[in-house]
Amino acid sequence: MLDELIRKTIREMVGGSGPPVAFLTPKGDPGLFGPESVAWKIHADFISMMIGGISSLILQSLHPQALAGVWDHSTFREDLKGRLGRTAFFIAATTYGPTEMANNVITKVNHIHTKITGLDEFGKPYSATDPHLLAWVHLTETRSFMSAFEDYRKETINPRDKDQYFLEMKSLGERMGAKDLPNTYANTESAIKAYIPELYFGERAKSIIDLLENFPSNLTAKPFIKLISRAGFLNLPGWVYPLIGRATPSYLERLAIRKSIDLIAFPVREALKDGVAAHSLRRVYG
């Protein structure tokens, strides 16, 4: 009963309709990365992936041109759950899906990007196929996922495997149209900081952050979602807080959130242990 309640709460947050049986075939197909990859390990933890997803959305909202594409061409503000669900499926399909599924979703998203153009809030032209903007999205996602995994999964990633993750994800980012992506954690952090002069915390970004802080949900899901959202804010790089007019979180606040995440993490992970990653392992190994 508890497992089903947890799964229902998670569907409330990101959608989903049942067991991921599409990941069971064809037998033996390792997909783009395979079970031995670091990406399979990092992306398997729902808790840290949701926390990283929230922080990456906050970071992405700070770039006027990256935000403009979402602002003008998506239902993000009216259907946050749908947006998160589509993003979750893209990550699942490209990380764990069989090769054909992964290739199809990459082709589909790249085609959609060709139609996303316009002017940002300063009147500057943008295109979702711009390698510079695609790199920003890629950098903020990979950094956020790794940071959340280290903080909330509490599993040590040695420096070699940590860099291997960014090398693996570089191959995906370049297939999405980004160029000259870094292949180490340290260089990813440096690449993100190079964007700081381009960032802007205006009314559009404020509305996105307000939406993430007040995630639409029913009463049953609200405490869980509120906690995940707060952890997402604590997962931001330190230089972001002055930019968005927030105090840097204290040690005690971070400790309280981590302890709270620890309390919910075990039952959530148990409820989701037969998820996409488990189904995909059965596809590869039988």
Side-chain angles (χ1 to χ4, degrees):
M1 185 179 294
L2 177 60
D3 284 0
E4 183 52 39
L5 177 61
I6 290 170
R7 286 190 285 267
K8 182 178 179 182
T9 299
I10 288 166
R11 287 195 294 269
E12 169 69 19
M13 188 170 189
V14 299
S17 57
V21 294
F23 289 80
L24 289 172
T25 56
K27 296 297 184 184
D29 187 335
L32 300 185
F33 297 105
E36 304 305 316
S37 67
V38 183
W40 270 54
K41 180 177 186 176
I42 301 299
H43 294 176
D45 186 51
F46 176 83
I47 292 282
S48 58
M49 287 297 286
M50 287 308 304
I51 292 169
I54 295 294
S55 55
S56 68
L57 287 173
I58 295 169
L59 287 167
Q60 289 161 22
S61 75
L62 297 177
H63 197 293
Q65 291 185 289
L67 176 56
V70 175
W71 193 271
D72 295 340
H73 297 273
S74 83
T75 58
F76 180 76
R77 286 166 287 163
E78 297 80 30
D79 184 23
L80 179 56
K81 184 176 76 172
R83 167 62 190 270
L84 289 177
R86 289 187 293 274
T87 301
F89 177 75
F90 176 84
I91 293 168
T94 53
T95 306
Y96 300 105
T99 305
E100 184 177 8
M101 178 194 290
N103 287 335
N104 285 346
V105 76
I106 289 170
T107 299
K108 179 180 179 180
V109 172
N110 283 340
H111 178 69
I112 291 170
H113 283 172
T114 64
K115 302 177 181 180
I116 299 177
T117 60
L119 302 175
D120 70 12
E121 56 199 296
F122 297 105
K124 185 176 180 180
Y126 69 83
S127 169
T129 59
D130 182 348
H132 185 67
L133 297 181
L134 289 165
W136 172 246
V137 172
H138 175 88
L139 293 166
T140 53
E141 284 185 350
T142 52
R143 181 267 172 206
S144 295
F145 293 150
M146 176 59 74
S147 176
F149 185 90
E150 289 189 296
D151 281 350
Y152 295 99
R153 180 63 183 175
K154 299 187 183 306
E155 186 172 337
T156 301
I157 300 291
N158 66 52
R160 180 177 58 82
D161 283 349
K162 197 170 178 178
D163 286 345
Q164 176 64 24
Y165 172 73
F166 290 93
L167 179 61
E168 291 168 3
M169 296 308 291
K170 175 181 178 177
S171 66
L172 176 60
E174 290 179 344
R175 287 195 62 184
M176 301 305 300
K179 295 180 180 178
D180 302 320
L181 293 171
N183 54 14
T184 67
Y185 175 77
N187 289 342
T188 296
E189 290 279 26
S190 298
I192 288 174
K193 289 180 180 178
Y195 280 81
I196 292 177
E198 303 174 33
L199 305 184
Y200 173 67
F201 185 53
E203 292 304 315
R204 286 185 174 187
K206 289 176 184 176
S207 71
I208 297 299
I209 288 179
D210 181 69
L211 181 61
L212 292 171
E213 283 191 307
N214 299 282
F215 196 106
S217 61
N218 62 35
L219 289 176
T220 304
K222 192 173 287 292
F224 171 77
I225 293 174
K226 197 77 172 176
L227 180 59
I228 293 292
S229 178
R230 187 61 200 150
F233 275 81
L234 269 58
N235 192 47
L236 294 168
W239 55 262
V240 174
Y241 300 109
L243 180 60
I244 64 176
R246 306 289 180 94
T248 301
S250 67
Y251 169 78
L252 288 178
E253 182 179 5
R254 291 183 183 279
L255 181 63
I257 293 296
R258 283 184 182 134
K259 292 295 185 183
S260 298
I261 293 291
D262 286 346
L263 286 174
I264 68 167
F266 180 76
V268 168
R269 287 167 181 150
E270 278 296 300
L272 300 179
K273 65 184 178 182
D274 195 30
V276 169
H279 278 64
S280 300
L281 278 172
R282 289 202 287 276
R283 181 188 75 244
V284 177
Y285 295 126

